Amino acid sequence: MSDTTVTPPVTPNANFKPRIFSGIQPSGNLTLGNYLGALKRFAQKQDEGIETIYCLVDMHAITVWQDPEALRRQTREAAAAFIASGVDPSKSILFNQSQVGAHAELAWLFNCTARLGWMNRMTQFKDKAGKNAEKASLGLYAYPALMAADILLYHATMVPVGEDQKQHVELTRDIANKFNHDFGVDFFPEPEPLIEGAATRVMSLRDGSKKMSKSDPSDASRINLTDDADTIAKKFRKARTDAEPLPEAVDGLSERPEARNLVNIYAALADMTQAQVVSEFAGKGFGDFKPALADLAVDKLAPISTEMKRLMDDVTEIDRILGKGAEQADAIARPIVEKTYDIMGMVRSR
């Protein structure tokens, strides 16, 4: 028998309480993609015994020009979408970012931790600024440090994100690791991205090769969470497809982007796998499948739009929920940012 002692691998976040953080920009017109890729999963996560913190990141929104009245309305509308989608303020902390000043404070500290080369590799700045990079705001360039602050301010260990945001979680891990190494501490966790579900990337109803987007000129390309039942049904019935029937196996969708997208959406709405959907509808044409998808979507989504309208008719309740959530968030965030100042050598009153 060997005398060699095997040391079990160290889990980077073993010393941290499991906690989920995620946020959405309140930039208006949340879509089915936001629901399936984020809001539906947020509601499910709050019942898994893990503390959940959800944020409307209005400070990220202002990296590009925002009309003040529109930003206020969109922030409340996004909060209404969270609540209508099942995020329960008695189970999760729900607030808007600007009400908790520690986000901006920690972002500056992380601006002094992150390296310029890291920021230069971030693809989203290049995508959003395009050829007008010299005219873009400094905030648009540096906002990944604010995103890292959003997450690490709560010592979050898990971050539900879409594939397009995974790079930002990786940067957050780099910042946490560098801070801990620079100051010889184990203070910030290295959060893990959570990418789950059949429809983490929902595509356009008019072009299965493009992501569903609120900025698409065609309203028919997307399902808005504010769409009523008739509009939802009409959009799915008119969704672009091909002439072939649904295949016997999922592999048969690989070269059929529109068909694959609609199957993914059905699977996500019905809490089924893609294989289960294909098995149920194998050999059937879209004349059968699209009405079934439309009925399912109306059943799942119409109550959300109805509840959002009710909440937006009197925003007093939304403002109260966001204010209470900000107080709960600040109670977690303030000690963490104060400890960060202390670790970095800044004098604090006792």
Side-chain angles (χ1 to χ4, degrees):
M1 213 175 150
S2 172
D3 292 331
T4 303
T5 301
V6 178
T7 303
V10 176
T11 303
N13 297 330
N15 296 327
F16 297 91
K17 175 183 177 180
R19 182 178 284 150
I20 288 173
F21 176 92
S22 197
I24 287 181
Q25 278 201 41
S27 47
N29 295 328
L30 293 179
T31 69
L32 174 64
N34 298 117
Y35 174 69
L36 293 178
L39 301 180
K40 181 174 185 280
R41 294 157 61 211
F42 291 173
Q44 293 169 337
K45 289 296 178 186
Q46 69 188 359
D47 293 320
E48 294 181 4
I50 301 173
E51 187 174 19
T52 45
I53 301 174
Y54 300 129
C55 182
L56 307 172
V57 289
D58 48 3
M59 292 170 67
H60 286 288
I62 63 168
T63 57
V64 296
W65 168 251
Q66 299 289 333
D67 175 80
E69 284 305 315
L71 180 58
R72 265 187 284 273
R73 176 182 54 78
Q74 290 164 186
T75 300
R76 289 165 171 155
E77 186 178 87
F82 270 75
I83 298 163
S85 298
V87 172
D88 184 345
S90 70
K91 296 178 180 179
S92 298
I93 296 174
L94 176 63
F95 69 105
N96 59 302
Q97 182 186 28
S98 62
Q99 289 204 67
V100 180
H103 285 262
E105 294 176 59
L106 189 59
W108 175 253
L109 301 182
F110 284 167
N111 277 340
C112 301
T113 302
R115 303 293 91 179
L116 197 60
W118 300 356
M119 294 298 182
N120 288 337
R121 289 194 293 270
M122 303 304 289
T123 58
Q124 286 215 345
F125 175 78
K126 298 171 187 175
D127 294 341
K128 290 185 178 182
K131 296 178 180 178
N132 296 315
E134 293 296 321
K135 296 181 180 179
S137 73
L138 179 59
L140 184 62
Y141 181 78
Y143 89 96
L146 175 58
M147 183 176 287
D150 297 337
I151 297 165
L152 296 176
L153 186 57
Y154 301 97
H155 281 179
T157 56
M158 291 164 281
V159 186
V161 290
E163 284 284 355
D164 58 339
Q165 291 291 322
K166 187 177 178 182
Q167 186 185 37
H168 290 93
V169 181
E170 292 169 351
L171 176 70
T172 299
R173 291 168 59 88
D174 288 340
I175 290 173
N177 186 278
K178 187 174 192 308
F179 183 95
N180 290 343
H181 179 269
D182 287 352
F183 294 100
V185 295
D186 183 23
F187 186 61
F188 288 115
E190 296 178 34
E192 297 288 343
L194 295 178
I195 302 172
E196 305 167 329
T200 55
R201 188 172 175 85
V202 179
M203 312 307 282
S204 166
L205 298 182
R206 309 306 299 162
D207 182 349
S209 68
K210 296 180 179 179
K211 185 177 178 181
M212 183 178 287
S213 170
K214 60 195 171 191
S215 61
D216 192 305
S218 172
D219 188 62
S221 70
R222 59 185 170 269
I223 302 294
N224 305 301
L225 291 188
T226 52
D227 286 343
D228 61 23
D230 288 344
T231 304
I232 293 168
K234 185 183 296 184
K235 286 181 177 179
F236 273 117
R237 289 193 173 100
K238 292 186 174 181
R240 182 179 177 182
T241 52
D242 55 43
E244 298 298 318
L246 286 166
E248 300 287 335
V250 173
D251 289 349
L253 296 170
S254 61
E255 302 300 323
R256 300 171 62 185
E258 284 79 25
R260 183 172 64 249
N261 184 42
L262 295 186
V263 167
N264 285 349
I265 291 171
Y266 192 107
L269 286 171
D271 292 318
M272 297 169 66
T273 65
Q274 295 171 29
Q276 287 172 325
V277 177
V278 168
S279 176
E280 182 176 335
F281 290 94
K284 293 184 179 179
F286 284 100
D288 293 317
F289 182 73
K290 287 201 291 186
L293 174 56
D295 289 345
L296 173 63
V298 167
D299 181 61
K300 297 291 186 180
L301 300 176
I304 294 174
S305 64
T306 300
E307 177 64 3
M308 285 179 65
K309 185 178 184 305
R310 185 192 71 79
L311 288 164
M312 289 299 289
D313 283 343
D314 181 6
V315 298
T316 305
E317 177 66 4
I318 294 175
D319 291 357
R320 185 195 66 79
I321 288 169
L322 293 178
K324 181 180 179 182
E327 291 175 0
Q328 294 172 304
D330 188 70
I332 299 170
R334 179 49 53 186
I336 289 175
V337 77
E338 289 295 331
K339 181 61 176 176
T340 307
Y341 282 131
D342 186 56
I343 289 170
M344 297 181 77
M346 298 182 185
V347 174
R348 319 305 296 156
S349 62
R350 301 299 178 185

